[in-house]
Amino acid sequence: MRRAGRRLLALALLWPAFAVPLPAPARELLAVGAQFERVFEYQDSGEYGGLGAELLRVMAARTGNTVRFRMVPWARAQAMLVQGQADILIGPYKTPERIASMAFSDKPFYQDQMVFYTRQDASFGWDGDYAALKNRRVVLLNGWAYGADWERVRPGLQVSVANNVENGLKMLVHSHVDVFISNRRNTDPVIARLGYGRQVKPLPRIIELQNGYFAYPRSPAFDRLRLQFDQELNNLIETGELKRLGKRYDVGTP
C-alpha cells in the first residue's frame, strides 16, 4: 500500500506536465470604432455593418466567441482600447505612436488612398510638392493618421481639425478652408450623400496608400485573442475570402 501510495503521488505531481490545456472560455468581445464608410457603419436596421464588422463576426464565431460593437468618436475609440476598456479597435492605420500603445493584427484587412479635396473651381493642383500648401488653409480629421511625410510638413501649415468627414467637407464647400485631406473610401460616399459632387473634387495624385488593421490592447492578457484572430484573418486571406468580401463592400484590400 505504501508503494502504491507513492506511485499515485508521483503521478499526481506529474499530471500538470501532461495535461492538455483547456481552451480559453468563450466570451463576448467589445469592438469599437468610428463611422468608417463600408468598413464600420451603423445601419438603418440598427445593426452594425461593413467589412470590418463582418470579418470580426466571422473570426469571433470561429474562435468560439461573440462580439458586440460600439461606435464612438475616433479619438475616444483609440483611448478606450489603450485603456483596456475595449478588446478590439476597428481599422486604425499604423503610426509609431500607435504601435507603442496598441498591438496590431499581423496583416491589414483594407487599404485606403489618401488624397487632397478642393473646390471644383479652385486652381490649386498638387504635384507632390508640399510647398504648394504653404499659403493654403487645410483641414484634416481628428485622430486620423496621414503618413510620415505629412507629419513632417504639418507644423509649418495652417491646419484646422474637423471631427468627421461631413464637417470637413462643409468647411471646404463654405470656403472656411482651401484643402481637405481624407481618404476616398470614407469621403466619396459622403460627397454623394450631401450632393456635393459639383462643388468638390479629389485631386488625382495620391498622397499615400494607408493600410488599415485591427488593433488590440498592448497587454499579455490579450495576446491569445490577437494570435487566434491573426490565424483566422490569415486563413481568410489565403482562401481569397477577404478579397471576395472586399469586392462586395467596395473596399480596397492589400
Side-chain angles (χ1 to χ4, degrees), residues 1 6 18 29 94 102 111 125 130 140 147 155 171-172 177-178 204 236 238 250:
M1 290 293 292
R6 286 199 296 268
F18 295 104
L29 306 170
K94 277 186 179 179
M102 305 175 187
Q111 189 172 76
Y130 284 99
L140 47 79
M171 291 175 71
L172 181 62
V177 295
D178 305 303
L236 291 166
E238 291 168 6
D250 193 21

Side-chain angles (χ1 to χ4, degrees), residues 36 38-43 47-54 57 69 71 249:
F36 280 3
R38 303 193 292 266
V39 167
F40 186 47
E41 300 177 306
Y42 187 72
Q43 302 170 326
E47 296 293 323
Y48 290 96
L51 178 61
E54 177 151 350
R57 287 191 180 102
F69 299 97
M71 186 174 288
Y249 285 101

Side-chain angles (χ1 to χ4, degrees), residues 82-102:
V82 171
Q83 295 164 11
Q85 298 172 1
D87 301 289
I88 306 168
L89 177 66
I90 302 172
Y93 305 149
K94 277 186 179 179
T95 67
E97 295 78 15
R98 289 176 182 169
I99 291 171
S101 60
M102 305 175 187

Side-chain angles (χ1 to χ4, degrees), residues 123-201:
S123 60
F124 174 71
W126 190 65
D127 61 1
D129 183 3
Y130 284 99
L133 296 171
K134 192 69 176 178
N135 297 312
R136 307 277 177 171
R137 297 165 300 168
V138 179
V139 62
L140 47 79
L141 291 161
N142 188 26
W144 282 34
Y146 290 89
D149 288 343
W150 168 253
E151 292 303 324
R152 280 194 291 270
V153 301
R154 174 178 174 172
L157 302 178
Q158 303 175 54
V159 175
S160 301
V161 176
N163 285 325
N164 55 52
V165 171
E166 183 173 328
N167 287 347
L169 287 170
K170 287 180 177 179
M171 291 175 71
L172 181 62
V173 166
H174 294 293
S175 300
H176 298 307
V177 295
D178 305 303
V179 180
F180 174 40
I181 312 178
S182 187
N183 65 60
R184 298 207 60 168
R185 173 191 51 78
N186 256 302
T187 309
D188 291 354
V190 181
I191 290 173
R193 190 160 63 241
L194 295 175
Y196 284 171
R198 295 184 178 181
Q199 295 167 275
V200 300
K201 64 182 178 183

